[in-house]
Amino acid sequence: MLLLQFSTSHYCRKARLVLGYKGINYQVENLTPGLHILKVKPLTGLTTLPVLLPQIEGQPQAIGDSTQVLKFLESYQPEPSLFFSNPEQQTEALMLEDWLDESIGTATRFVYYHFRAGEGKNINPSLSSQIVIGVVRKQYGINNASVELATKRLTIALEELSKRWRSSEYLVGDHLSVADIAAAALLSPLALIPQYRQGYPWLFERIVKIHQLCGEALPPGL
């Protein structure tokens, strides 16, 4: 299998965690932001990454969107499962994954790129890095007002995740699920931001553990 990705994308990290947890051999191809559209849009009709190319007879040519990649891999290799046989638990896990994917992952992006353009500029002050950061900020409308809203959204999310992870090893049920994978991947960029590292140590302990379970390299900052 071949994973088309941005090396720094937390949504692509989500796909890698699933691949690693299921022990599926794969390769990655890192694409250039902007130019990636020329390659992925003809494959999926989308302009986003990750895109998984199964390269297996009888399987789809390409799967776009991290959630669809996750669902495909669960169907292709059911064990070890990230889903639940209990319908209520499965619904809860999928709802959490969708919330994290559509809302919290976006909030993380806003806060992270705002930090990288300001206090965190010294992480990589190179011209190429700053150009990419500027393009992302413009593309998504990242400014002081949108970052303030994203910060509030993250505060609520971390309160909810704290209640769940501090009372149980997993966000739902008794084993790792799509909810845990999504949280570990989509909140991972916060590891480079001091206020989050200091304020939520339990979060990064859990992120580290999930990465270890999946055999995935730790995100920057950890």
Side-chain angles (χ1 to χ4, degrees):
M1 294 193 183
L2 177 64
L3 183 69
L4 305 180
Q5 66 163 17
F6 296 138
S7 60
T8 58
S9 165
H10 52 332
Y11 286 94
C12 296
R13 179 175 294 276
K14 179 181 162 191
R16 295 199 306 273
L17 286 174
V18 179
L19 285 159
Y21 185 65
K22 290 184 173 291
I24 297 173
N25 291 325
Y26 70 99
Q27 295 178 315
V28 299
E29 181 179 339
N30 293 319
L31 302 185
T32 302
L35 295 178
H36 75 283
I37 295 173
L38 299 175
K39 182 156 190 172
V40 304
K41 193 168 184 179
L43 291 171
T44 65
L46 303 173
T47 60
T48 57
L49 291 174
V51 170
L52 182 69
L53 309 181
Q55 300 176 318
I56 299 172
E57 186 177 351
Q59 300 297 336
Q61 178 191 7
I63 302 104
D65 182 79
S66 64
T67 297
Q68 296 309 312
V69 168
L70 187 157
K71 290 179 178 179
F72 165 76
L73 292 173
E74 184 71 17
S75 174
Y76 172 75
Q77 186 164 305
E79 297 297 334
S81 182
L82 291 167
F83 284 2
F84 294 100
S85 57
N86 180 298
E88 291 183 0
Q89 290 180 326
Q90 178 64 2
T91 297
E92 184 179 6
L94 288 176
M95 287 180 65
L96 279 173
E97 189 270 343
D98 184 69
W99 169 61
L100 288 159
D101 197 79
E102 298 297 327
S103 179
I104 306 310
T106 300
T108 300
R109 177 190 288 132
F110 276 51
V111 170
Y112 172 74
Y113 279 100
H114 184 70
F115 170 75
R116 287 294 308 279
E119 296 174 59
K121 187 175 182 178
N122 62 345
I123 292 172
N124 185 350
S126 68
L127 179 60
S128 59
S129 175
Q130 293 306 306
I131 287 174
V132 170
I133 290 169
V135 168
V136 172
R137 285 170 58 84
K138 183 175 181 179
Q139 178 182 357
Y140 291 102
I142 299 175
N143 53 46
N144 290 339
S146 61
V147 169
E148 183 179 355
L149 290 174
T151 301
K152 291 177 180 178
R153 192 175 296 162
L154 279 175
T155 298
I156 294 171
L158 291 170
E159 288 177 359
E160 174 62 23
L161 295 179
S162 175
K163 292 176 187 176
R164 290 174 178 267
W165 265 337
R166 288 184 166 188
S167 63
S168 173
E169 190 173 357
Y170 306 106
L171 292 177
V172 180
D174 60 358
H175 66 78
L176 197 73
S177 76
V178 295
D180 299 289
I181 292 286
L186 300 180
L187 292 167
S188 64
L190 300 179
L192 282 172
I193 305 178
Q195 71 184 76
Y196 287 98
R197 282 297 305 277
Q198 295 163 10
Y200 303 93
W202 56 267
L203 171 65
F204 301 101
E205 290 172 4
R206 195 51 56 94
I207 288 175
V208 166
K209 183 170 183 180
I210 291 170
H211 276 70
Q212 291 171 340
L213 284 172
C214 297
E216 171 67 19
L218 296 181
L222 295 177

